[in-house]
Amino acid sequence: MTWFQDGRLHFGVGVEDTFVPQTREGERALDEYDLTEHYEHWHADLGLAAEVGAEFMRWGIPWYRINPEPGRWDWSWLDAVMARFAELGIRPIVDLLHYGTPQWLEGEFAHPDYPQHAAEYAVAVAERYADTVTDYTPVNEPMIHARFCGELGYWPPYLTGEDGLTALIAAVADGFVRSQHGIAEVLGDRATFVHVDATTRVVGAVDGEHAEKVRLLRNQAFAVEDLVTGKVRDGHPLLEHLLRHGMGEDLLAQLAADPVAPDVMGVNYYPRHSTTLVEDGPWPAGGFVEPSPIRDDGVTGLEDVIRTYAARYGAPVALTETCVTASEAERIAWLEDSVALAHRLRADGVPLVGYTWWPLFDMYEWTYRHADTPREESLLTMGLWDLVESPSGLLRRRNSVADAFARLATADRARVR
């Protein structure tokens, strides 16, 4: 029996693992492991997860560092990290792609051979750790990849518009499917695939002057997951739109004929970010330049996305990221409310199998990449541990949110014994 079939709610944490190493004028590399000094403190950091009773950790591999040149792999650091996971008995759910590609891959996601390179990387990792690692997320938040890299032009390859968005959707989906098939060939039935989507709810004046845009956004929220699971066929509401903006018929046919499926469907939900509020009037540019207005729908919104994804993909669901960037008291309130909802949903028959607080310790806002201020000015207070600047580097200071998480995780395990 696999962990997601044992009837329990499993508690885990994540370490923010965004990697965008390429830069151009006015930009800084965005590597959260570097910013949070996880490269130096990884051994102790994994111990923090064990300290609060986390059973699993969503943790990403910096592809650009372990694969610094085509065909060359440097496993030294990663070998030690994976050994530490085994020592602690924490299950790593490995993020293979969390926004960045190697620096040698010209054009990044737009390179014609990107899907092949992504699959080669996935297989190399799976073969290296076949005896110890079985759980993989081929692509974290694929539609965020597509929007930031292909529509908004924030991250490489800096494409824009609907054509750029479609090009990125196609590339990411192709690489996703090839990666999962490759890992499955290595691990066979031992492989577990946790697909992870950034949920996007749209509320407000949805039937007003922007009704057509709202319909498109609601469909695009599922675009990559629908493609990789073979749902984009005749009659799918995105089919004509994707074809009109450049997606190839051959790729669409290939994805429909040889799909992959999630063993666990992961949903990322942040109550203060995941629900877009539509208002009549000019449509905001979006992204960092002109963010769309949002509405905090709390646990109501969370219940909506969990039930939606469970029904749409027919797989057990895990909450793979959640938190609020706020005071400790507000973080604890959200933790307790969202865990209470998880239990209510499970009692109602919803197959919710995982709860993830993200992140384990504070992180730095993505706008750091386009800023010129010290890193502390980009700090986001989100974690179970605070990051505290000191002359010797960043200290990890446990806060009361960690105590609340440990209490809830321990209570849940005791409940099923």
Side-chain angles (χ1 to χ4, degrees), residues 64-86:
Y64 83 100
R65 289 178 68 122
I66 70 159
N67 185 197
E69 297 174 7
R72 184 168 77 84
W73 304 92
D74 181 356
W75 302 107
S76 54
W77 180 75
L78 193 56
D79 283 351
V81 175
M82 293 305 177
R84 177 65 166 158
F85 273 116

Side-chain angles (χ1 to χ4, degrees), residues 13-55:
V13 293
V15 174
E16 172 61 27
D17 53 341
T18 297
F19 308 112
V20 187
Q22 297 87 351
T23 60
R24 58 184 182 179
E25 187 176 354
E27 296 176 342
R28 299 189 285 198
L30 181 59
D31 180 335
E32 289 282 350
Y33 284 4
D34 183 46
L35 286 171
T36 62
E37 299 179 6
H38 183 57
Y39 289 123
E40 293 82 11
H41 298 291
W42 61 268
H43 190 276
D45 286 345
L46 299 191
L48 301 181
E51 188 177 318
V52 292
E55 300 173 69

